[in-house]
Amino acid sequence: MERGEGMYLWDTEGKRYLDFVGGWAVNSLGHSPAVLHEALSRQSSLLVHASPSFYNKPMLEFSRLLTDISCFDKVFFTSTGSEANESAVKLARKYGALKLDGAYEIITMTGSFHGRTLAMMSATGKPHWKQLFEPKVPGFRHVPLNDIDALFAAIHSGTCAIMLELVQGEGGVHEANESYLYAIRKACDMYGLLLIADEVQTGLGRTGSMFAYERYGIEPDIMTLGKGIGGGFPLSAMLAKQELDLFDAGDQGGTYTGQPLGMAAGLAVVQEIITRNLPEHAAKQGEYLTGQLRSLAVKHQLHHIRGKGLLLAFDLPSGLSSDKLVALCRDNGLLINAPQPSSIRLMPPLVVTAAEIDEMIGMLDHALTALSVHA
Ligand SMILES: *Cc1c(COP(=O)(O)O)cnc(C)c1O
């Protein structure tokens, strides 16, 4: 790929693609947004990097903004979602060491995705990752999503936290039930465990609210953000409540933590998300997109249309491979994603318009027709 603008990418041959993958739920403002360009060019002429030993102005402004718009009080900045989750796991283990007699086990969900560092591959609940890169980092126990009994059965004196995505993204867009999340919050309160929400994919407007936890009426103790927070600039964050201000100097850090250029980028992106009220726009466009998918569903036997805001998925009729559909769409100039062999996921930039949704639906209809003719 060579160039991007709004909802479109152009490759080195000049071919245009309508982008419903959005850089993997990253380009929240679309491609090459002016605010990001301006923030990067302004900050890069001022200060790109000072050293992790110093605070800087955009870092302070950005952490103030993130704590203002969320239920959290403290922020730690990293570059990738995996690192933000590593930070959350380290903080939960520190909490366990200090407050729970050394408990360190973290309960995570089957089908979850938390990243590709060794510890996050261990936290992730992908069945076919079980045998990879052994031995895994110990201290994670997996339970099926939305099974309250299995959750309570898994809690023991060595447990320090429960970690989950409120909508599983990579796993194929599966939501945690409201009653399940209430039960988790209750279990955490009862046993003094921490609730960690991995909002790397769902955060910053993606599911139609600023953070997915807001729609459930519960508050996590720790939240991680990534992907859309930098609009394409590699940036992530861990947010925590004041009581969890437990790290000593040196416990957690990184060469690029709070790096001024990234801070200016993230600040500009999140301010734009707020100014343009993109969470509400995502909710509205998500409803429209869901409706358009439903109208295609009968004709092409699509089923299980699901998700919230602009994190949507559907299943294909049996016998139709999602990889095949993705490849044909790409040839035709449309980018979509196949998280599972028979499902398709859509996660366009939050700025997508109804006209661009109509264009995508037309291209999808065309590709599905072509594949069913050849089936
Ligand atoms: C993408 C993702 C991660 C990992 O982020 P990286 O930036 O690839 O390290 C973690 N959790 C969730 C929910 C994700 O979607």
Side-chain angles (χ1 to χ4, degrees):
M1 293 300 174
E2 188 167 58
R3 185 166 70 85
E5 196 186 315
M7 284 290 299
Y8 296 93
L9 281 170
W10 284 263
D11 68 14
T12 47
E13 325 264 84
K15 182 176 159 134
R16 188 178 89 151
Y17 302 84
L18 177 59
D19 186 5
F20 271 70
V21 177
W24 224 271
V26 165
N27 298 87
S28 33
L29 305 179
H31 293 283
S32 314
V35 286
L36 185 55
H37 168 72
E38 282 155 19
L40 287 171
S41 95
R42 198 181 333 113
Q43 187 61 41
S44 65
S45 67
L46 210 58
L47 181 67
V48 170
H49 183 79
S51 132
S53 351
F54 301 121
Y55 290 123
N56 60 75
K57 216 165 138 192
M59 180 194 200
L60 297 181
E61 276 178 56
F62 193 27
S63 26
R64 168 61 57 85
L65 178 65
L66 289 174
T67 53
D68 279 352
I69 62 172
S70 72
C71 65
F72 301 96
D73 311 295
K74 307 292 278 186
V75 189
F76 175 73
F77 292 106
T78 40
S79 307
T80 67
S82 304
E83 281 177 282
N85 286 339
E86 290 273 347
S87 310
V89 165
K90 283 171 76 172
L91 186 55
R93 285 191 177 190
K94 179 99 194 224
Y95 171 85
L98 295 174
K99 316 265 173 172
L100 298 174
D101 285 332
Y104 63 81
E105 199 173 86
I106 298 179
I107 298 173
T108 65
M109 305 296 142
T110 308
S112 64
F113 181 84
H114 298 296
R116 288 170 198 276
T117 57
L118 201 46
M120 286 315 112
M121 286 192 83
S122 313
T124 290
K126 273 190 177 193
H128 62 279
W129 276 14
K130 272 215 170 96
Q131 310 308 324
L132 285 178
F133 308 115
E134 294 285 271
K136 287 287 188 322
V137 176
F140 297 98
R141 182 184 294 237
H142 299 97
V143 296
L145 179 69
N146 291 327
D147 182 339
I148 295 176
D149 294 339
L151 176 84
F152 273 90
I155 295 172
H156 63 105
S157 60
T159 312
C160 70
I162 300 169
M163 174 167 164
L164 81 164
E165 305 160 82
L166 305 188
V167 182
Q168 290 187 344
E170 299 309 301
V173 186
H174 301 293
E175 286 176 61
N177 297 334
E178 204 168 299
S179 57
Y180 184 66
L181 219 53
Y182 277 126
I184 289 189
R185 184 64 268 177
K186 210 167 152 193
C188 286
D189 293 341
M190 262 167 67
Y191 298 107
L193 314 178
L194 300 182
L195 170 51
I196 305 172
D198 178 348
E199 294 231 27
V200 168
Q201 188 155 154
T202 54
L204 278 327
R206 173 62 48 191
T207 67
S209 52
M210 189 56 84
F211 306 107
Y213 76 78
E214 297 171 276
R215 286 204 334 271
Y216 290 89
I218 56 110
E219 290 186 1
D221 303 294
I222 301 176
M223 170 174 75
T224 54
L225 299 172
K227 296 204 163 87
I229 192 176
F233 194 93
L235 185 63
S236 62
M238 171 185 68
L239 284 81
K241 299 273 196 175
Q242 181 64 43
E243 312 83 85
L244 294 173
D245 190 11
L246 301 173
F247 278 150
D248 289 315
D251 278 355
Q252 178 61 325
T255 305
Y256 294 118
T257 180
Q259 186 245 27
L261 192 61
M263 294 297 97
L267 179 61
V269 168
V270 175
Q271 274 171 341
E272 184 78 353
I273 289 174
I274 296 167
T275 307
R276 292 171 65 180
N277 201 359
L278 291 179
E280 199 181 304
H281 180 78
K284 200 171 129 229
Q285 299 306 85
E287 265 175 44
Y288 181 65
L289 177 46
T290 303
Q292 296 302 91
L293 286 172
R294 290 227 168 88
S295 60
L296 271 192
V298 178
K299 181 170 168 194
H300 295 294
Q301 296 167 297
L302 309 179
H303 54 280
H304 200 189
I305 297 168
R306 58 193 182 272
K308 280 271 168 13
L310 291 171
L311 180 56
L312 300 173
F314 55 89
D315 290 343
L316 298 174
S318 59
L320 183 52
S321 127
S322 54
D323 285 341
K324 248 188 174 165
L325 180 63
V326 166
L328 179 62
C329 285
R330 189 175 54 231
D331 290 347
N332 294 346
L334 170 67
L335 304 179
I336 55 175
N337 166 254
Q340 302 289 322
S342 62
S343 29
I344 294 294
R345 176 173 47 161
L346 305 172
M347 40 185 172
L350 304 182
V351 295
V352 67
T353 63
E356 288 150 350
I357 290 173
D358 290 342
E359 185 185 356
M360 187 281 290
I361 291 288
M363 292 169 93
L364 189 62
D365 185 12
H366 185 78
L368 284 165
T369 304
L371 282 179
S372 67
V373 165
H374 294 107

